[in-house]
Amino acid sequence: MNRTRLFLLLSFCFVILFIFAGTLQAEDDTTLLGRIITDRILTRVARAPGEGMAYGITGYTRDVYLLDLTTYQVKNKITLANSPRAIAVHPTAYNAYIVAQSQSLFNPVSSLSVVDTNGAILQSVTLPRFAGDIAIDPQTDTAAIAFRQDKKIRTYSADTLALSQEISLPYIPGVIALDRGSTRALISGKDSVLSLMHRRLLIVDLAT
């Protein structure tokens, strides 16, 4: 082995050792405050600010988990009529707004349910098919929901769950987020159902 190869080998070993040491240091610096053990894998969690709790859904069962962030325990678990697909928490009322989908392949039904911090189901309404992501606007007290099939955003009253507005989109909507302090929504979009990824970012004025 010549000097050049030996130098490259030693350099490579040094880089690997440096990365490994950095990983160990990062683990030592991490403080684990606690862990919550659930009987299912949660795919989405939404925190209720000021309440010391969070809501969790699996995305493949009809269960909704209420998680105590103080005791690190499952506070409660309730079952909805349909399987939750998306969840958002009202930042002042702390209720969870859950978009759910039936498991029927031939006649899918979507629904919107409101669950309080004790696990009580306050309201439920039927939605048009293929309801997707949801976001809550505390200023207008509305819930904005993306609908894939008809390429629309629909807003509902957070109080009564009554439909208040429909906005047509040029692309199939995916994830939705609200720009706090304005009436704008940021929505990911894709061209067709055959598209693997959402390559569009739509900025929509919900006040129009």
Side-chain angles (χ1 to χ4, degrees):
M1 181 179 295
N2 56 36
R3 292 184 178 180
T4 301
R5 290 183 177 179
L6 179 61
F7 175 77
L8 292 176
L9 179 60
L10 291 176
S11 299
F12 176 77
C13 293
F14 176 78
V15 170
I16 296 298
L17 180 62
F18 178 79
I19 294 174
F20 182 70
T23 302
L24 291 179
Q25 182 66 32
E27 290 180 353
D28 291 338
D29 291 343
T30 300
T31 301
L32 181 63
L33 298 179
R35 66 183 68 187
I36 301 176
I37 300 176
T38 60
D39 58 354
R40 303 280 184 176
I41 297 175
L42 303 183
T43 58
R44 289 199 177 190
V45 175
R47 178 176 172 267
E51 285 293 297
M53 64 156 297
Y55 303 88
I57 60 176
T58 66
Y60 56 91
T61 68
R62 297 186 294 133
D63 299 323
V64 178
Y65 292 77
L66 281 70
L67 310 173
D68 191 319
L69 303 181
T70 303
T71 62
Y72 308 115
Q73 300 289 327
V74 176
K75 177 181 177 181
N76 196 359
K77 184 174 74 169
I78 64 173
T79 302
L80 300 181
N82 299 314
S83 300
R85 293 290 189 268
I87 184 172
V89 174
H90 197 294
T92 57
Y94 309 137
N95 295 329
Y97 289 73
I98 303 169
V99 175
Q101 184 83 32
S102 67
Q103 298 179 344
S104 172
L105 296 177
F106 302 102
N107 187 27
V109 175
S110 296
S111 61
L112 173 62
S113 299
V114 183
V115 177
D116 70 9
T117 55
N118 293 316
I121 302 174
L122 303 180
Q123 296 184 78
S124 290
V125 295
T126 301
L127 299 176
R129 295 193 306 169
F130 301 111
D133 201 24
I134 182 174
I136 304 296
D137 184 357
Q139 294 183 343
T140 60
D141 207 31
T142 56
I145 302 177
F147 289 83
R148 300 186 300 273
Q149 187 179 41
D150 49 7
K151 299 180 182 179
K152 287 183 178 181
I153 295 294
R154 292 183 172 95
T155 59
Y156 296 82
S157 167
D159 183 30
T160 65
L161 302 187
L163 175 65
S164 58
Q165 184 179 208
E166 288 187 348
I167 300 176
S168 297
L169 302 174
Y171 304 102
I172 299 174
V175 177
I176 179 172
L178 301 182
D179 182 14
R180 298 288 175 84
S182 75
T183 59
R184 298 183 302 178
L186 306 178
I187 306 163
S188 66
K190 63 180 182 178
D191 298 307
S192 71
V193 293
L194 299 179
S195 302
L196 297 179
M197 294 183 292
H198 291 78
R199 299 181 179 273
R200 312 282 185 175
L201 181 60
L202 311 178
I203 303 176
V204 179
D205 187 358
L206 298 179
T208 57

